Amino acid sequence: KDPKPYPVPRMFVCDPSGTYKEWKAVAIGRNSDTVHEYLRTHYDDYRQQLEGKDIQTEERMLCEFALGAMTQVLNIQNGTNVELATMTAERGVRMLLDDEVQVMVDNLMQQNEEFRNHSSDLEATTRKTKQLEILNAEKHPHAD
């Protein structure tokens, strides 16, 4: 068996002129700039979360990360308009089943809902804090 040329998989994108560039995460097509921004902003955090995980968990988390990026430009709430595939040296390319994708979409939607609820709580707390600061400033105008 031939040795692998590199210790880890690598991803390259080639444009029509033949120029290629290596990426850690990439999006192509319509609205790819928005997805690129999401990937750029969140990639390092996701890589840290993957540390020490088994390969199946890592694969699932990376698929959820990809779905999270796609939600920036697509409505994927029902999961039927998305197909995902994974590729490993051991298994080659594997298309995920619709049920697998749906579980990931549901998980992502739940995380987004929890984030929105948490954000709403933070916004409410911030508003209350500002109101208290204003009231305090009115009661004690020379407290500075």
Side-chain angles (χ1 to χ4, degrees), residues 15-34:
D15 68 24
S17 72
T19 304
Y20 63 93
K21 184 174 181 182
E22 185 173 12
W23 293 88
K24 293 178 183 175
V26 69
I28 58 173
R30 186 173 30 147
N31 298 321
S32 62
D33 290 344
T34 303

Side-chain angles (χ1 to χ4, degrees), residues 4-123:
K4 295 179 187 176
Y6 301 103
V8 295
R10 298 171 67 190
M11 179 173 27
F12 295 88
V13 174
C14 183
D15 68 24
S17 72
T19 304
Y20 63 93
K21 184 174 181 182
E22 185 173 12
W23 293 88
K24 293 178 183 175
V26 69
I28 58 173
R30 186 173 30 147
N31 298 321
S32 62
D33 290 344
T34 303
V35 177
H36 257 239
E37 181 61 25
Y38 179 91
L39 294 171
R40 188 185 62 72
T41 303
H42 296 92
Y43 181 81
D44 289 334
D45 290 338
Y46 246 80
R47 288 299 308 166
Q48 288 178 353
Q49 292 177 28
L50 295 175
E51 292 296 318
K53 302 287 192 277
D54 61 87
I55 190 68
Q56 288 83 13
T57 302
E58 183 176 324
E59 190 175 271
R60 179 189 50 78
M61 290 176 69
L62 286 169
C63 286
E64 288 176 357
F65 178 58
L67 285 169
M70 287 188 270
T71 63
Q72 304 302 300
V73 294
L74 295 173
N75 178 7
I76 62 167
Q77 288 185 8
N78 64 9
T80 59
N81 59 339
V82 176
E83 291 181 335
L84 287 177
T86 61
M87 182 172 31
T88 64
E90 295 79 27
R91 293 186 302 182
V93 176
R94 182 180 82 84
M95 291 297 297
L96 275 67
L97 301 172
D98 290 343
D99 291 344
E100 292 176 289
V101 174
Q102 188 60 55
V103 167
M104 290 180 199
V105 169
D106 292 345
N107 186 33
L108 185 62
M109 293 301 122
Q110 181 181 354
Q111 289 173 12
N112 286 345
E113 184 64 30
E114 289 170 3
F115 177 77
R116 280 193 294 275
N117 290 340
H118 181 70
S119 294
S120 296
D121 291 346
L122 283 175
E123 289 172 13

Side-chain angles (χ1 to χ4, degrees), residues 114-137:
E114 289 170 3
F115 177 77
R116 280 193 294 275
N117 290 340
H118 181 70
S119 294
S120 296
D121 291 346
L122 283 175
E123 289 172 13
T125 302
T126 302
R127 278 194 303 276
K128 287 178 185 176
T129 302
K130 286 181 182 179
Q131 290 170 347
L132 289 172
E133 288 172 356
I134 291 169
L135 288 173
N136 192 32

